[in-house]
Amino acid sequence: MENVKSQLIKLQSNGVTLSTAELLRYQQLSKLFSLAPKRMPQAKLAGSYLTKHKGRGMEFDEARHYQPGDDIRAIDWRVTARTGKTHTKVYREERERPVFLFCDYLPSMAFGTQLLTKAVQAAHVSSLISWSAAARGDKVGALVFNQQQHKEIKPLTRKKAVLHVCHELMSLHEQSTQYMPDKARDEKAFADACARARRLARPGSLVYLVSDFQHLGTQAIQHLSHITRHCEVRAIVVNDPIEHALPNTSSLQTVSVSDGKNKQRWVLGDSKEQDQYKQWRDEHNRTIYEMLRKNNIARFSVSAGLPLDDQLQSMQQEKRLELS
């Protein structure tokens, strides 16, 4: 418990509601998150991402033998002097890639057992991505939605755009606590949000889906699949530790659980029940991951039970170890 308190103090959060301070905190941590493209953008836009089109631009690509018609201003005199043959510089054009956020505040996100609710962690993730985009000079747009409402934020540049995103994250999060789970309504709201994202995400954008994906159905995946034709789409799957396994206890403990409508009784510490629960959860999570994979959507998992920056630093350390 003491460790949780110290973590919440560091995050400037109470784990349930959202404040300006905890979202502004990620401005100083923007370098922890990489927005580097995994594949070349397909749209012809102006800005700071490299495309396969070669021409006069800000980013040097290669030096090659001079050809008739090449601009003499592009001659690479160092390579020419070293080789004795005239070489010219070739550049890749720089292209802008807007970053578009899709943040889910449906009732299943208002759940947490250790540190933060999934909704609060989703806001932290969205804030960090926004600050990272602003630090690179990218435009940031967003769609934030709950069971009854949605907020559309047009792509803008600089700090003002991020503050607008943070404001809407806090505003809609506060209203989301009023709603109760309803499977049919939540699936429809998620599918409708995916349809809006399909309309709002400009070709060539980097799209981040921040959700627990508990309501990912056929209609929703069809809309998301369409987005992948013109954008790079990455799913940030926000989960809670109990959505993977029941807590370990030294003795048998019976607990009541409810989703707001239905109630169940679980026995903690019972190995048979724990195995059955884990098998059920693994299968459920595998179904979500497979749907995303089949539709060319990269998946990253984030736990609501640990500070976001701790998880990212751990991932970076693992990558360094793999490369060493």
Side-chain angles (χ1 to χ4, degrees):
M1 181 63 73
E2 198 62 37
N3 184 46
V4 170
K5 287 181 179 179
S6 63
Q7 288 177 330
L8 289 174
I9 291 171
K10 181 182 81 168
L11 296 172
Q12 301 180 53
S13 173
N14 63 13
V16 179
T17 60
L18 276 178
S19 68
T20 303
E22 65 188 286
L23 298 184
L24 290 179
R25 174 177 175 269
Y26 289 99
Q27 183 177 10
Q28 310 303 321
L29 302 172
S30 60
K31 292 183 179 179
L32 283 176
F33 201 90
S34 173
L35 295 175
K38 296 293 186 291
R39 57 187 173 91
M40 289 294 185
Q42 298 175 13
K44 294 184 178 180
L45 304 170
S48 58
Y49 287 90
L50 302 180
T51 74
K52 293 180 180 178
H53 301 280
K54 294 183 179 181
R56 188 75 175 164
M58 296 297 294
E59 185 73 18
F60 173 72
D61 185 39
E62 63 181 356
R64 59 164 170 77
H65 289 297
Y66 179 84
Q67 297 175 3
D70 284 348
D71 189 342
I72 60 172
R73 294 175 298 177
I75 291 176
D76 191 328
W77 296 108
R78 289 186 179 181
V79 177
T80 298
R82 188 170 66 247
T83 63
K85 295 182 180 180
T86 306
H87 281 70
T88 186
K89 295 178 181 178
V90 178
Y91 297 84
R92 285 190 186 184
E93 294 179 12
E94 291 189 334
R95 304 290 173 94
E96 176 192 86
R97 184 175 60 166
V99 174
F100 184 81
L101 286 161
F102 172 100
C103 187
D104 175 3
Y105 278 158
L106 290 173
S108 65
M109 295 290 287
F111 175 78
T113 61
Q114 291 191 16
L115 183 67
L116 310 171
T117 66
K118 291 187 287 183
V120 169
Q121 188 69 294
H124 288 197
V125 171
S126 299
S127 176
L128 177 58
I129 294 172
S130 299
W131 287 116
S132 298
R136 291 181 64 99
D138 298 333
K139 289 185 177 181
V140 183
L143 173 66
V144 187
F145 68 96
N146 59 27
Q147 202 179 60
Q148 299 288 346
Q149 305 173 71
H150 70 276
K151 294 284 187 178
E152 298 178 6
I153 304 163
K154 293 181 179 179
L156 298 170
T157 55
R158 294 191 286 265
K159 182 177 177 180
K160 187 175 181 180
V162 183
L163 293 176
H164 188 191
V165 171
C166 291
H167 172 76
E168 296 299 355
L169 286 170
M170 289 188 294
S171 175
L172 219 63
H173 179 275
E174 185 177 355
Q175 299 169 33
S176 299
T177 57
Q178 308 168 16
Y179 305 124
M180 299 295 290
D182 183 306
K183 184 176 180 181
R185 184 183 297 173
D186 293 342
E187 285 185 358
K188 183 179 185 304
F190 192 87
D192 288 347
C194 291
R196 289 192 184 93
R198 175 177 171 178
R199 173 175 55 84
L200 293 169
R202 293 166 50 190
S205 297
L206 173 56
V207 178
Y208 275 98
L209 312 170
V210 186
S211 170
D212 60 4
F213 295 92
Q214 297 299 308
H215 308 291
L216 182 64
T218 304
Q219 284 188 332
I221 203 68
Q222 286 175 349
H223 292 304
L224 296 180
S225 179
H226 189 276
I227 297 173
T228 63
R229 299 177 193 175
H230 308 287
C231 303
E232 183 179 351
V233 183
R234 302 177 187 176
I236 308 292
V237 184
V238 184
N239 52 58
D240 186 84
I242 207 172
E243 292 175 333
H244 293 281
L246 291 173
N248 289 319
T249 58
S250 56
S251 59
L252 295 179
Q253 295 181 29
T254 302
V255 295
S256 286
V257 294
S258 172
D259 61 1
K261 288 186 176 181
N262 305 306
K263 290 185 178 181
Q264 291 183 359
R265 294 177 73 83
W266 294 349
V267 180
L268 304 182
D270 182 283
S271 59
K272 183 178 179 180
E273 184 156 335
Q274 284 181 319
D275 289 343
Q276 289 176 341
Y277 178 88
K278 188 176 186 307
Q279 184 178 357
W280 167 60
R281 278 297 186 182
D282 286 348
E283 182 61 32
H284 179 72
N285 293 331
R286 194 178 301 115
T287 300
I288 293 173
Y289 300 159
E290 191 62 19
M291 290 176 74
L292 295 171
R293 186 192 66 79
K294 285 183 177 179
N295 287 276
N296 199 31
I297 299 173
R299 173 185 63 83
F300 306 88
S301 294
V302 169
S303 174
L306 292 167
L308 177 59
D309 36 321
D310 288 358
Q311 295 179 66
L312 293 173
Q313 288 168 349
S314 177
M315 290 177 194
Q316 289 181 355
Q317 181 63 28
E318 288 175 5
K319 286 182 180 179
R320 284 195 289 269
L321 290 173
E322 289 175 2
L323 294 172
S324 61

